[in-house]
């Protein structure tokens, strides 16, 4: 049981102040701007909720929202199971395990703006490794014209970039399982599936929740990597929420982009709230199991 | 039958994934050793170390490496000392509004940077820290601080609580206890935290772009500046390879601690 002690606030105060500065103050500014028509920052007119009405009532926002939701669902459906599977494949405590982990972590270290360039050069039909193989099978280099193929490229790219994070998270949780659990399971003659279902998966709950949260939000708001692949095309087919916002900011539409930002932050709040709900549920479940 | 094949299936899966993870990197490294623009003395398409020599001879690229290292170090020096007491409080104490505060921290971690770009730029201009490594370091606290608190509190929660109480009976104050007992014990945790700060900060682009228009450009932006009418793609790839070297060295030296990074920590 944790002790009830309000001096805890003194300990979290520096963190709260710092996040207030880089998080809360900018957020308040955005909320403020979202109610104004702004030509230059010193000259602005109150327009009330006009920007919100505009965004909500046009199909563009909802189309982006739908695309981002679909994208995140596909990304989660691929990366989470794949991450768990790979983490299960890594053996425990052998001398080359560290090496394998280091190799798997490498995609996380590439500067984000270089990731699209890397994949574009990989898919280049004249010089790229994949591009040349695909060209030999008669795949046309015109993939940018096809919505399905552009989606596939972005999804594979994102899987390459981020599955490693899921693997690292899951593997770290798996290493906390005491060896005696496995020995007991072996004595009982448990099948690999039973070991996974009753020993390994329960240990993964918390870490998986975090992995789902991070992967969901980061893919839902994908920006840096998605835009250069095909500039949101073909015909807006890969125009995701954050890509659209980025374009609006580049066009200096302060008011509408601020309103859009506030809407996105509301989505963020909803997701964070669902996350804490789920976390409390797991906690309650585990307290019940241990007592 | 299936049981006997299982280790082989696992090994195959691992190797396949490893290959998938490394394929783009192989391509990148290959291009980085090829001359892609006509230069005196070297034919286009021939093998060369020229791209790497160009990095060393280009003052912009050299200073970009310096800037990147500087802002990541500053970020770690801000994040870790601020995160340790907060993680301690979340791990050991229950105080008014702790759950709500943790919720707010999580919300800031998952807020996409693009949402806050404009006001952060204005705020930092007013504070006079745009175009400097300090500005980027501060902006990156937005996502690094929550994740650091989360990792560290997992490590702190793994230490038995009885130890705190014994120390308090011996007359140690809380801050002194943290300094003399807790810090040495969570040293691997601090290393892992610093690594993850490095990882999320080194590759970030959105804040780095808006906060450095003239000066203090990090590597990612220096690479962007290389794209132009005639892009020397070999040089671009060489810079990218070079930019991954510090991270790869860190990953390799941390390899035995990495897996301990995310103990089952919960609030």
């Amino acid at each position: 049981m944790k002790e009830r002690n309000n001096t805890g606030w003194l300990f979290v105060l520096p963190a709260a102040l710092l996040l207030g500065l880089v998080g809360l103050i900018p957020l308040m500014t955005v909320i403020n701007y979202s109610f104004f028509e702004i030509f230059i920052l010193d000259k602005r007119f109150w327009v009330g909720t006009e920007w919100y009405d505009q965004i909500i009532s046009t199909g563009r926002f909802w189309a982006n929202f739908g695309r981002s939701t679909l994208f995140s669902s596909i990304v989660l459906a691929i990366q989470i199971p794949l991450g768990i599977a790979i983490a299960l494949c890594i053996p425990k405590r052998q001398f080359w395990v560290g090496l394998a982990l280091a190799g798997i972590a490498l995609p996380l270290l590439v500067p984000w703006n270089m990731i699209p360039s890397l994949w574009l050069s990989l898919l280049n039909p004249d010089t790229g490794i994949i591009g040349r193989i695909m060209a030999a099978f008669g795949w046309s280099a015109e993939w940018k014209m096809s919505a399905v193929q552009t989606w596939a490229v972005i999804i594979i790219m994102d899987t390459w970039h981020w599955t490693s994070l899921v693997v690292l998270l899951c593997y770290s949780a798996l290493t906390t399982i005491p060896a005696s659990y496995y020995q007991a399971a072996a004595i009982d003659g448990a099948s690999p599936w039973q070991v996974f279902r009753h020993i390994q998966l329960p240990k993964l709950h918390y870490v998986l929740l975090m992995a789902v949260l991070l992967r969901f939000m980061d893919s839902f708001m994908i920006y840096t990597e998605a835009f250069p692949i095909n500039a949101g095309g073909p015909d807006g087919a890969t125009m995701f929420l954050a890509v659209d916002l980025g374009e609006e900011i580049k066009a200096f539409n302060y008011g509408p982009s601020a309103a859009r930002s506030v809407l996105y932050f509301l989505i963020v709040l909803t997701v964070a709230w669902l996350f804490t709900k789920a976390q409390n549920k797991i906690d309650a479940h585990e307290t019940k199991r241990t007592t | 039958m299936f049981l006997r094949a299982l280790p082989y299936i696992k090994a195959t899966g691992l190797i396949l994934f490893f290959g998938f993870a490394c394929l783009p990197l192989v391509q990148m490294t290959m291009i980085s050793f090829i001359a892609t623009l006509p230069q005196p003395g070297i034919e286009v398409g021939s093998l060369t170390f020229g791209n790497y020599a160009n990095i060393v001879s280009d003052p912009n690229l050299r200073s970009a490496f310096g800037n990147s290292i500087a802002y990541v170090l500053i970020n770690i020096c801000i994040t870790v000392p601020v995160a340790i007491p907060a993680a301690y409080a979340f791990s050991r104490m229950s105080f008014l509004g702790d759950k709500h505060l943790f919720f707010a921290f999580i919300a800031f971690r998952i807020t996409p940077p693009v949402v806050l770009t404009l006001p952060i730029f204005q705020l930092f201009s007013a504070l006079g820290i745009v175009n400097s490594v300090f500005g980027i370091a501060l902006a990156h606290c937005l996502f690094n601080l929550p994740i650091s608190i989360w990792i560290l509190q997992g490590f702190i929660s793994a230490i038995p609580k009885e130890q705190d109480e014994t120390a308090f009976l011996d007359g140690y104050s809380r801050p002194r206890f943290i300094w003399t007992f807790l810090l040495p014990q969570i040293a691997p945790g601090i290393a892992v935290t610093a690594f993850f700060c490095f990882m999320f900060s080194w590759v970030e682009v959105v804040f780095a772009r808006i906060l450095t228009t003239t000066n203090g450009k990090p590597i990612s932006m220096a690479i962007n500046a290389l794209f132009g009418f005639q892009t020397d793609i070999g040089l671009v790839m060489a810079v990218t390879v070079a930019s991954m070297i510090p991270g790869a060295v860190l990953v390799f030296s941390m390899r035995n601690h990495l897996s301990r990074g995310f103990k089952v920590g919960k609030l």
Side-chain angles (χ1 to χ4, degrees):
Chain A
M1 212 32 223
K2 288 192 222 170
E3 70 182 293
R4 183 87 201 162
N5 190 340
N6 277 329
T7 51
W9 266 101
L10 284 180
F11 289 83
V12 294
L13 195 63
L17 286 179
L18 189 56
L19 279 177
L21 176 72
V22 296
L24 200 61
I25 294 178
L27 190 69
M28 291 302 145
T29 320
V30 168
I31 294 177
N32 184 20
Y33 285 172
S34 69
F35 295 107
F36 287 95
E37 160 85 277
I38 300 170
F39 297 111
I40 47 171
L41 287 171
D42 303 328
K43 211 174 183 174
R44 52 193 193 198
F45 302 100
W46 172 264
V47 294
T49 55
E50 194 185 314
W51 302 131
Y52 292 97
D53 292 342
Q54 245 175 45
I55 294 170
I56 299 278
S57 60
T58 52
R60 189 172 124 203
F61 172 77
W62 294 108
N64 294 339
F65 186 82
R67 275 192 285 268
S68 280
T69 311
L70 179 63
F71 179 72
S72 287
S73 319
I74 298 176
V75 157
L76 284 180
I78 295 175
Q79 294 180 6
I80 300 292
L82 184 64
I84 298 174
I86 300 298
L88 287 172
C89 287
I90 300 175
K92 279 155 224 76
R93 291 184 207 87
Q94 275 179 22
F95 76 100
W96 54 274
V97 166
L99 216 60
L101 279 180
I104 286 171
L106 281 179
L108 296 170
L109 301 166
V110 184
W112 289 3
N113 54 345
M114 278 310 293
I115 286 171
S117 312
L118 268 188
W119 278 88
L120 287 177
S121 78
L122 200 59
L123 290 169
N124 186 314
D126 298 323
T127 55
I129 298 174
I130 296 181
R132 272 183 294 186
I133 296 173
M134 298 295 271
F137 283 104
W139 181 62
S140 78
E142 303 282 293
W143 59 269
K144 284 195 178 188
M145 307 300 277
S146 146
V148 176
Q149 291 183 17
T150 306
W151 268 72
V153 169
I154 297 182
I155 286 169
I156 292 172
M157 180 180 76
D158 197 74
T159 305
W160 171 77
H161 188 187
W162 285 112
T163 307
S164 308
L165 185 69
V166 184
V167 174
L168 283 184
L169 286 169
C170 290
Y171 181 72
S172 67
L174 286 176
T175 53
T176 60
I177 301 175
S180 55
Y181 284 30
Y182 292 113
Q183 287 156 7
I187 292 169
D188 290 345
S191 70
W193 169 252
Q194 284 169 323
V195 170
F196 174 69
R197 179 68 194 78
H198 297 288
I199 297 180
Q200 291 168 326
L201 198 58
K203 271 283 177 193
L204 289 177
H205 271 159
Y206 182 79
V207 156
L208 278 182
L209 190 62
M210 201 69 193
V212 168
L213 175 79
L214 290 180
R215 281 318 303 133
F216 175 76
M217 270 329 287
D218 290 350
S219 63
F220 199 64
M221 293 295 173
I222 185 168
Y223 174 64
T224 320
E225 301 102 308
F227 185 73
I229 286 288
N230 208 350
D235 204 16
T238 52
M239 201 47 125
F240 300 115
L241 284 172
V243 175
D244 205 10
L245 175 61
E247 289 308 286
E248 192 127 51
I249 290 176
K250 273 189 212 157
F252 295 106
N253 295 329
Y254 292 124
S257 67
R260 215 168 256 274
S261 302
V262 174
L263 287 177
Y264 292 4
F265 188 73
L266 290 179
I267 299 175
V268 163
L269 277 186
T270 316
V271 172
W273 180 75
L274 288 175
F275 169 76
T276 41
K277 280 274 161 238
Q279 193 183 22
N280 292 342
K281 211 168 168 187
I282 290 181
D283 281 359
H285 188 69
E286 272 178 14
T287 339
K288 215 167 70 190
R289 263 163 53 120
T290 47
T291 50
Chain B
M1 185 58 214
F2 171 73
L3 280 185
R4 215 167 309 150
L6 197 60
Y8 299 102
I9 297 174
K10 280 184 171 182
T12 321
L14 195 59
I15 291 167
L16 282 179
F17 185 76
F18 195 79
F20 175 59
C22 291
L23 186 65
L25 306 175
V26 170
Q27 166 101 50
M28 171 178 86
T29 316
M30 271 165 42
I31 299 179
S32 75
F33 284 108
I34 293 173
T36 47
L37 272 192
Q39 276 162 355
I42 307 169
E43 218 176 303
V44 172
S46 61
L47 274 181
T48 173
F49 286 100
N51 296 320
Y52 289 93
N54 285 344
I55 300 178
V56 182
S57 62
D58 185 337
N60 279 337
L61 289 176
R62 268 190 324 219
S63 70
F65 273 91
N67 287 336
S68 276
I69 292 170
Y71 86 73
V72 168
L73 285 181
I74 296 173
N75 177 267
I76 292 174
C77 291
I78 300 173
T79 308
V80 172
V82 170
I84 289 172
Y88 176 77
F90 278 127
S91 156
R92 292 290 152 91
M93 300 175 204
S94 142
F95 48 92
L96 190 66
D98 54 352
K99 290 242 153 91
H100 298 97
L101 195 66
F102 194 74
F103 169 73
F105 283 7
I106 292 289
F108 279 127
R109 165 56 185 84
I110 60 178
T111 302
V114 69
V115 163
L116 298 178
T117 42
L118 180 67
I120 287 232
F121 177 74
Q122 288 178 314
L123 181 70
F124 283 22
S125 317
L127 295 174
I129 47 175
V130 286
N131 293 328
S132 82
V133 287
F134 190 71
I136 308 182
L138 204 58
H140 285 184
C141 289
L142 180 69
F143 44 82
N144 274 348
L145 190 55
I147 212 98
S148 302
I149 293 175
W150 178 60
I151 298 173
L152 282 171
Q153 66 123 352
F155 274 89
I156 295 175
S157 297
I159 293 169
K161 206 173 164 356
E162 288 70 33
Q163 212 196 334
D164 300 33
E165 280 146 16
T166 328
F168 297 148
L169 286 180
D170 290 346
Y172 282 89
S173 68
R174 257 182 221 279
R176 238 185 105 209
F177 162 76
I178 293 181
W179 182 254
T180 46
F181 286 102
L182 201 64
L183 281 192
Q185 290 195 47
I186 56 167
I190 294 173
V192 171
T193 311
F195 168 74
F196 275 92
C197 287
F198 166 88
M199 199 192 81
F200 284 117
S201 189
W202 184 264
V203 294
E204 204 275 341
V205 177
V206 175
F207 282 138
R209 178 183 295 134
I210 55 146
L211 290 175
T212 58
T213 41
T214 53
N215 242 330
K217 280 189 190 296
I219 300 177
S220 46
M221 289 303 104
I223 299 176
N224 254 12
L226 292 176
F227 284 93
F229 176 61
Q230 237 192 349
T231 308
D232 188 352
I233 199 75
L235 179 62
V236 168
M237 293 300 174
V239 180
T240 313
V241 172
S243 80
M244 289 181 62
I245 291 173
V249 171
L250 264 183
V251 169
F252 187 72
S253 52
M254 299 273 307
R255 64 190 185 282
N256 294 324
H257 290 299
L258 267 190
S259 62
R260 300 180 46 206
F262 297 90
K263 290 226 157 77
V264 186
K266 62 180 176 226
L267 188 64

